[in-house]
């Protein structure tokens, strides 16, 4: 059947209405009008109208149609001798092909964009090339070239008087300065850019870009306060217009947080189009929100939001789905849902994220200490530029400290903690992380005074940041330090406070450990004259462990295990492992 004949006035009116819809950023309406018009061969769309169709198709979730329309727009600009228009269309094709995982096509269109624009007098379109130059120089470690490109972008943006380009150039320069360690200057520029965003001064695509870039930048720089503030603002901007209200804000405290409930698994993202009318940035911003909720201890909501983010993330932003899977894995691991955590980490890995240090800590919880050490060491070695992601590096070093202490490698733990201390500076989130690691090492080295001082500093930092799980973990270490100096009352207060938080979060293994330590503190003396190490060996025997299993768990030789068992049998007056197991259960040692 042939297409119906439309009167030229009708088709012109449809295009005008589409242009008006695009001006209002009513993208679903613009897409419907231009798509219907484009199906009729009687009147071709102009290069500018094809660019609008490409934008509307992208916002409506039709990624392939967006690329096709952009290709046609480039050809139309070129045919009209408009090299600035062709250069911008070529840059957008570079951006879209890169997002779709087609680097060769992306490189080709970037080359074309340069060909069209580099010989032009200064113009706004060259801002995008300068932005790309800054990113590429940063990736190659040439920070001087990166800063020069970012400042060239700023000059072009100011010359253009475009609020969109000025704000984006501020963010680009901020990112380069932050990588150079110029944190104060960087954050001042970022704040300037985000003022324009939160005031609603920018177009939709630049608003979305800046929210995504700023949230990534804040988390990598461990600027938790800004991350919380801008996550709330981003989710309000992303809220579907039909709800009439923004989503629940990220909480500022966690006293109401309950234990985890709801479905255990997440949905693996599949290639699909975003439903018409949805904001394609929503899934990406929600994935950032998951990271913030995780730190704040709002774990039930964090896992729910992770599932939702995986459903919403467009096919060209699957790294955000990987981040959501990883954060969900962390929640599941700390709640003792180890099998589910393994699945979530595997999904994150499938989508291109190295699931560390979470996977190493999972292996440690499973008793696979060698795998934990290997995993975190490899992740540290693979991090090409630690300054690019300060929080990521800090988390790896904190995990390296924990794993090393678990296998009695105190020198290795000390080395990791010292690097973490040097990295942290006076950034509150990093400082609390470093003080925790340093305090744990001091405790392992039997330096009670420094351990207590560092751990109290760490606890104050975590409480000020309102990060409950890490604060409770520090309380567990403080309890151990208090007991080494004979302050049993202080130790019991710390353990009770930690257990309350763990139970509220649903961190079952930690809650049980705190409860066991509280119970153990009441006894003061172990039954049968057992030493603490002999009690550890007896518990593992009662759990069915062989001498080899016990040696691996405690990182001692099998000969030492045999010696401990001989002492245990003699002290308890038993002659077999079965009898020793019965004694352990009878005296509440298991």
């Amino acid at each position: 059947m042939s297409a119906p004949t439309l009167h030229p006035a009708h088709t012109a009116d449809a295009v005008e209405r589409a242009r008006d819809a695009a001006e209002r950023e009513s993208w679903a309406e613009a897409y419907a009008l231009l798509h219907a018009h484009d199906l009729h061969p009687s009147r071709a769309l102009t290069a500018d109208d094809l660019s609008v169709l490409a934008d509307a198709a992208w916002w409506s979730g039709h990624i392939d149609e967006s690329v096709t329309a952009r290709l046609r727009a480039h050809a139309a600009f070129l045919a009209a001798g408009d090299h600035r228009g062709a250069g911008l269309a070529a840059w957008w094709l570079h951006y879209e092909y890169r997002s779709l995982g087609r680097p060769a096509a992306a490189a080709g269109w970037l080359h074309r964009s340069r060909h069209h624009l580099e010989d032009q007098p200064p113009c706004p379109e060259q801002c995008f090339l300068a932005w790309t130059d800054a990113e590429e120089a940063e990736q190659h470690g040439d920070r001087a070239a990166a800063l020069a490109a970012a400042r060239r972008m700023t000059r072009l943006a100011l010359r253009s008087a475009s609020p969109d380009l000025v704000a984006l150039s501020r963010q680009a320069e901020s990112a380069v300065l932050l990588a150079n360690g110029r944190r104060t200057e960087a954050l001042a520029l970022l704040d300037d850019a985000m003022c324009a965003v939160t005031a609603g001064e920018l177009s939709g695509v630049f608003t979305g870009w800046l929210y995504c870039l700023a949230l990534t930048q804040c988390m990598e720089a461990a600027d938790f306060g800004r991350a919380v503030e801008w996550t709330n603002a981003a989710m309000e901007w992303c809220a579907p217009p039909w709800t009439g209200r923004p989503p629940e804000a990220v909480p500022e405290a966690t006293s109401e947080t309950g234990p985890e409930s709801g479905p255990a698994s997440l949905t693996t993202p599949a290639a699909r189009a975003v439903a018409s009318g949805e904001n394609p940035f929503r899934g990406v911003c929600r994935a950032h929100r998951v990271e913030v909720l995780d730190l704040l201890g709002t774990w039930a909501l964090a896992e729910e939001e992770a599932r939702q983010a995986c459903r919403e993330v467009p096919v060209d932003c699957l790294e955000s789905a990987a981040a959501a899977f990883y954060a969900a894995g962390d929640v599941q691991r700390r709640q003792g849902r180890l099998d589910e955590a393994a699945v979530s980490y595997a999904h994150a890995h499938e989508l291109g994220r190295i699931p560390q240090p979470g996977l190493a800590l999972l292996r440690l919880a499973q008793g696979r200490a060698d795998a934990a050490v290997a995993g975190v060491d490899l992740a540290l070695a693979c991090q090409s530029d630690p300054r690019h992601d300060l929080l990521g590096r800090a988390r790896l070093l904190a995990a390296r400290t924990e794993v090393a202490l678990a296998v009695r490698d105190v020198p290795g733990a000390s080395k990791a903690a010292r690097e973490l201390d040097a990295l942290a500076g006076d950034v509150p989130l990093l400082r609390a992380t470093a003080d925790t690691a340093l305090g744990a090492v001091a405790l392992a080295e039997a330096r009670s005074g420094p351990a207590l001082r560092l751990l109290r500093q760490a606890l104050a930092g975590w409480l000020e940041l309102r990060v409950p799980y890490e604060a409770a973990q520090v309380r567990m270490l403080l309890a151990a330090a208090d007991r080494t100096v004979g302050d049993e009352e202080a130790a019991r207060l710390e353990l009770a406070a930690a257990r309350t938080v763990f139970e509220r979060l649903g961190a079952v293994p930690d809650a049980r450990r705190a409860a066991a330590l509280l119970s153990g503190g009441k006894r003061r003396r172990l039954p049968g004259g057992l030493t603490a190490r002999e009690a550890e060996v007896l518990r593992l025997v009662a759990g069915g462990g062989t001498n080899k299993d016990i040696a691996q768990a405690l990182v001692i030789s099998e000969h030492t295990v045999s010696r401990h068992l001989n002492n245990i049998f003699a002290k308890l007056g038993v002659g077999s492992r079965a009898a020793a197991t019965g004694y352990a259960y009878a005296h509440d040692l298991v």
Side-chain angles (χ1 to χ4, degrees), residues 117-374:
L117 294 173
E118 283 183 338
D119 292 334
Q120 296 293 315
C123 59
E125 292 82 1
Q126 292 169 346
C127 280
F128 296 94
L129 287 181
W131 187 26
T132 303
D133 290 341
E135 288 186 335
E136 289 184 345
E138 186 66 36
Q139 289 168 3
H140 289 99
D142 190 345
R143 290 200 162 88
L147 187 58
R151 287 178 170 166
R152 183 169 72 253
M153 180 184 180
T154 299
R155 290 192 298 271
L156 290 164
L158 290 170
R159 183 187 181 107
S160 75
S162 162
D164 284 342
L165 292 175
V166 170
L168 187 62
S169 70
R170 298 278 191 234
Q171 187 282 326
E173 188 172 344
S174 169
V176 176
L177 289 171
L178 196 61
N180 278 286
R182 296 161 65 175
R183 187 181 181 91
T184 302
E185 294 173 73
L187 293 177
L189 279 173
L190 187 60
D191 286 344
D192 184 300
M194 294 307 292
C195 280
V197 174
T198 55
E201 297 171 0
L202 309 185
S203 66
V205 71
F206 284 82
T207 297
W209 268 350
L210 282 160
Y211 270 130
C212 293
L213 292 167
L215 288 171
T216 299
Q217 194 170 335
C218 286
M219 289 306 293
E220 290 180 347
D223 193 322
F224 193 47
R226 284 179 172 84
V228 172
E229 181 179 345
W230 291 338
T231 294
N232 284 332
M235 292 309 299
E236 183 173 349
W237 174 71
C238 289
W242 56 84
T243 64
R245 61 181 178 83
E248 179 185 350
V250 170
E252 294 187 354
T254 59
S255 59
E256 302 282 325
T257 304
E260 177 57 40
S261 61
S265 61
L266 289 87
T267 304
T268 305
R272 58 164 182 81
V274 176
S276 181
E278 287 188 9
N279 186 328
F281 288 103
R282 188 188 312 145
V284 180
C285 290
R286 197 184 302 278
H288 286 295
R289 186 181 192 228
V290 172
E291 294 184 84
V292 172
L293 291 169
D294 176 34
L295 275 171
L296 289 174
T298 316
W299 288 354
L301 183 57
E303 194 169 359
E304 178 187 333
E305 289 285 81
R307 281 191 291 270
Q308 184 65 19
C310 291
R311 289 191 288 267
E312 292 175 341
V313 166
V315 295
D316 56 345
C317 296
L318 292 184
E319 67 277 3
S320 296
F325 274 119
Y326 178 82
D330 276 354
V331 170
Q332 293 156 349
R333 169 178 56 80
R334 288 173 296 195
Q335 290 187 328
R337 299 152 58 196
L338 303 187
D339 290 343
E340 295 170 51
V343 171
S344 293
Y345 289 143
H347 282 322
H349 184 263
E350 288 167 8
L351 293 171
R353 178 179 180 129
I354 298 175
Q356 296 292 3
L359 184 59
L361 296 173
L362 173 65
R363 297 302 180 225
L364 188 62
Q366 293 170 327
R368 297 171 56 186
D370 290 346
V373 172

Side-chain angles (χ1 to χ4, degrees), residues 498-563:
R499 182 177 65 176
T500 298
V501 172
F502 290 143
E503 288 175 346
R504 187 171 71 236
L505 293 173
V508 175
D510 291 300
R512 286 176 178 164
R513 185 162 59 95
L517 289 169
L518 273 169
S519 175
K522 292 176 183 177
R523 277 196 296 271
R524 297 292 185 105
R525 295 173 62 184
L526 291 165
L530 295 173
T531 66
R533 175 46 63 92
E534 287 166 353
E536 281 186 288
V537 172
L538 180 55
R539 290 187 189 103
L540 293 169
V541 168
T546 65
N547 284 14
K548 183 177 181 180
D549 295 333
I550 296 168
Q552 289 178 339
L554 299 180
V555 198
I556 57 179
S557 69
E558 290 186 52
H559 174 76
T560 302
V561 174
S562 297
R563 179 167 53 79

